[in-house]
Amino acid sequence: MDAREMKIKAAEAALAHVENGMRLGIGTGSTAEEFVRLLAEKVAGGLRIEGVPTSERTARLCLELGVPLKSLDELPELDLTIDGADELDPQLRLIKGGGGALLREKIVACASARMIVIADETKVVDTLGAFKLPIEVNVFGLVSTRRAVEKLASRAGLTGDIVVRGASDGPFMTDGGHLILDASFGRIPDADALATELNALPGVVEHGLFINIASLAIIAGPAGARVLTAR
């Protein structure tokens, strides 16, 4: 089973949790896109849901495939969000934001009664941090904010480059008009403490640590899909 097949298996298992009439948060990323494609087939077959997308990219795919959408202002309380993750640990703490949608993903997930994470088994780790931690920051004061993040990391004993995400044609801009710092910490021994400290930094809009947000995770591997709950 290749990587895409595993993502489809996880998405199929998550689809079983979607019920008629649900207000559904719809995630961003390659695994979430497989879920959208399967969801669209169910909608075409008569499933009634109202979806709230976590990014413009997801919104475009949903509209292309006929998945009905509303804004979060129209549906401020959701039944369920289904989204992927870049990393998850045994406590179902996540790193998200590889696709640049972490702010909207976190807002939508926290507006939901439940969040189900769908991922392939390569995303499961003992300790978060091998995946670069995305930190969404305001354009204004970028240099000061970056230095504040570096000082915080140093106090926490975290090392590694902290760089502005982007390419030769300019920095990556989020849907909200912000920049992203990617922090290559390698290992984050105390994700809860780091999340709290990042939240307190002026200039940090949001970060990719999702703590106590996911309800369960559906993990796909060569043997099929399995369910993880927080230890």
Side-chain angles (χ1 to χ4, degrees), residues 3-229:
R4 187 184 176 204
E5 289 172 326
M6 287 193 285
K7 292 173 183 178
I8 292 171
K9 286 293 183 185
E12 286 174 341
L15 194 58
H17 293 262
V18 178
E19 301 174 3
N20 222 29
M22 268 190 165
R23 299 159 297 174
L24 188 65
I26 304 174
T28 296
S30 58
T31 308
E33 287 177 3
E34 299 298 348
F35 172 76
V36 172
R37 293 186 180 94
L38 295 172
L39 178 64
E41 293 176 7
K42 291 291 186 180
V43 168
L47 177 69
R48 293 181 295 102
I49 60 99
E50 292 179 304
V52 173
T54 56
S55 66
E56 298 301 323
R57 170 180 164 182
T58 294
R60 288 192 294 270
L61 181 62
C62 287
L63 292 173
E64 176 187 330
L65 298 178
V67 176
L69 297 181
K70 297 277 188 166
S71 71
L72 191 58
D73 288 337
E74 292 172 302
L75 296 177
E77 295 183 354
L78 304 176
D79 300 302
L80 174 66
T81 286
I82 295 177
D83 202 351
D86 297 302
E87 278 188 347
L88 66 153
D89 72 7
Q91 285 74 46
L92 295 193
R93 294 175 295 199
L94 317 173
I95 287 182
K96 289 180 53 57
L102 61 147
L103 175 60
R104 294 191 186 185
E105 288 174 331
K106 191 174 284 189
I107 292 172
V108 169
C110 290
S112 304
R114 293 186 297 145
M115 178 192 186
I116 294 177
V117 176
I118 50 177
D120 65 79
E121 62 181 13
T122 64
K123 305 297 177 66
V124 182
V125 297
D126 291 329
T127 304
L128 298 176
F131 190 90
K132 296 177 183 179
L133 176 65
I135 304 168
E136 190 163 343
V137 298
N138 205 303
V139 174
F140 177 81
L142 170 63
V143 174
S144 293
T145 302
R146 179 177 171 179
R147 287 181 177 174
V149 172
E150 289 171 342
K151 289 176 182 178
L152 186 162
S154 179
R155 291 195 302 270
L158 300 172
T159 60
D161 293 335
I162 300 173
V163 301
V164 178
R165 183 181 299 184
S168 56
D169 56 350
F172 173 86
M173 300 293 292
T174 70
D175 287 340
H178 305 126
L179 302 174
I180 290 182
L181 299 175
D182 284 318
S184 301
F185 292 140
R187 189 173 184 275
I188 303 173
D190 193 342
D192 299 60
L194 180 61
T196 299
E197 293 193 52
L198 286 171
N199 285 336
L201 284 184
V204 171
V205 178
E206 193 49 84
H207 55 78
L209 290 168
F210 282 50
I211 309 293
N212 298 324
I213 295 176
S215 306
L216 62 88
I218 297 173
I219 308 300
R226 58 191 173 100
V227 173
L228 291 183
T229 56

